[in-house]
Amino acid sequence: MSVEFSGGAEGPIDLFARFSLNQQTIKQWSLPELADGCARAGVRGVGLWRAPVQEYGVAAAAQLVRDAGLAVTSLCRGGFFTASDPKGRADALADNRAAIEEASALGTDTLVLVSGGLPPGSRDLYGARERVADALEELAPYAAEAGVRLAIEPLHPMYAADRCVVSTLAQALDLAERFPAERVGVVVDTYHLWWDDTIGSQIERAGSAGRIAAFQLADWVTPLPAGVLLGRGQLGDGAVDLRWFREQVDAAGYRGPIEVEIFNPSLWERPGAEVLAEVVERFTTHLVHTR
């Protein structure tokens, strides 16, 4: 069971109660450090990643966050469904069943999916997206039995070839809408979606159907680093109107956690408590305070 983050009319305190720290934002912290640091800072939610959870032990990690009074707001990641060979597809399905079981054990109802890129030598985006749909059809009932919702995350188009053939919220919704809303939703991530001039209407579309499973924040800063994966910016340092996004998802009816997920080596080189204090200050400045 996930902790309820929703409420009535929101003031600044209620909005901060929805704040969640994704584990990757302070990657230098171990799981015990993450649990202790968040508890000390009054943070209620954490988004976890499978590799460090597996290294620590799934059951032990679940107990650790429970003892710290934290809710696991999401687990990342499942997905990578686009292999075209039978063995690759079978392996992906098995790994995703394991991810669903891990999410359930951690007490989160949200498994974030990164769909996967094009297979080597392929240029067939449509075929790759259809394989994503095939995998969702097989996994959604299994996830539902475990109390876990599959959350399709569209990634910026620069990742389409190697990481995620789902590049827009519209594409994610086109896939999700083949399944019941309580089984398959979508992720709204500011870093990946800020550039899309249809994003407002697509957030409304997602919200009206109850499809927003997660809302994640990071800023877009330039120049992008080599490899681009680790170029997410601290809140307020870049081009994204973070408050506008928050207002849009709220207007669409979303009242769940607001998760800060930043991959940036410059943050990982600093003391974790310092980074968390800065993230909370930026969150308050750019999402809570009125203009």
Side-chain angles (χ1 to χ4, degrees):
M1 293 278 299
S2 62
V3 170
E4 178 62 54
F5 277 69
S6 62
E10 288 179 337
I13 294 175
D14 292 320
L15 187 61
F16 178 70
R18 294 168 61 190
F19 174 89
S20 174
L21 179 72
N22 187 279
Q23 185 174 15
Q24 287 291 305
T25 304
I26 309 181
K27 187 179 180 180
Q28 64 271 37
W29 267 352
S30 66
L31 265 173
E33 289 171 330
L34 177 74
D36 180 67
C38 286
R40 288 177 182 273
V43 173
R44 295 178 57 198
V46 290
L48 298 181
W49 278 65
R50 293 182 67 199
V53 166
Q54 290 168 348
E55 183 178 351
Y56 190 78
V58 176
Q63 187 65 51
L64 179 72
V65 294
R66 282 197 301 269
D67 289 347
L70 298 172
V72 180
T73 55
S74 70
L75 179 65
C76 198
R77 56 177 163 68
F80 284 80
F81 298 128
T82 52
S84 54
D85 62 292
K87 183 180 185 303
R89 292 186 58 72
D91 288 348
L93 290 171
D95 183 62
N96 277 272
R97 291 189 189 97
I100 289 165
E101 293 164 6
E102 291 162 14
S104 179
L106 291 166
T108 181
D109 58 4
T110 302
L111 176 64
V112 175
L113 305 179
V114 175
S115 296
L118 290 171
S122 174
R123 296 181 177 85
D124 184 8
L125 280 169
Y126 175 80
R129 290 185 189 125
E130 285 303 302
R131 288 193 291 278
V132 174
D134 291 345
L136 291 170
E137 184 172 10
E138 182 152 346
L139 291 169
Y142 188 81
E145 289 180 4
V148 174
R149 191 185 199 190
L150 305 177
I152 305 168
E153 180 172 16
L155 268 56
H156 190 281
M158 64 185 173
Y159 297 110
D162 67 341
R163 190 166 293 270
C164 188
V165 295
V166 179
S167 301
T168 67
L169 191 56
Q171 290 169 356
L173 287 166
D174 287 346
L175 287 167
E177 287 169 354
R178 303 187 191 191
F179 308 95
E182 66 275 12
R183 292 192 176 188
V184 182
V186 296
V187 180
V188 176
D189 186 315
T190 60
Y191 178 78
H192 293 298
L193 300 175
W194 73 276
W195 56 274
D196 185 350
D197 63 357
T198 70
I199 190 60
S201 61
Q202 294 303 320
I203 289 173
E204 182 179 6
R205 172 187 170 191
S208 65
R211 295 276 178 184
I212 302 177
F215 177 37
Q216 297 181 329
L217 304 177
D219 216 332
W220 181 278
V221 294
T222 52
L224 293 172
V228 305
L229 186 62
L230 305 183
R232 298 186 184 207
Q234 174 62 282
L235 308 182
D237 281 354
V240 181
D241 189 340
L242 299 165
R243 184 178 288 104
W244 180 90
F245 265 92
R246 196 269 295 171
E247 291 169 348
Q248 294 297 304
V249 297
D250 281 0
Y254 179 74
R255 294 294 183 271
I258 305 172
E259 194 173 294
V260 178
E261 183 187 57
I262 305 172
F263 307 161
N264 193 308
S266 68
L267 296 184
W268 300 338
E269 293 168 358
R270 295 165 53 193
E274 177 184 294
V275 174
L276 179 54
E278 182 178 274
V279 169
V280 169
E281 186 275 327
R282 297 295 187 92
F283 180 92
T284 303
T285 297
H286 295 285
L287 277 88
V288 176
H289 288 164
T290 58
R291 295 181 190 271

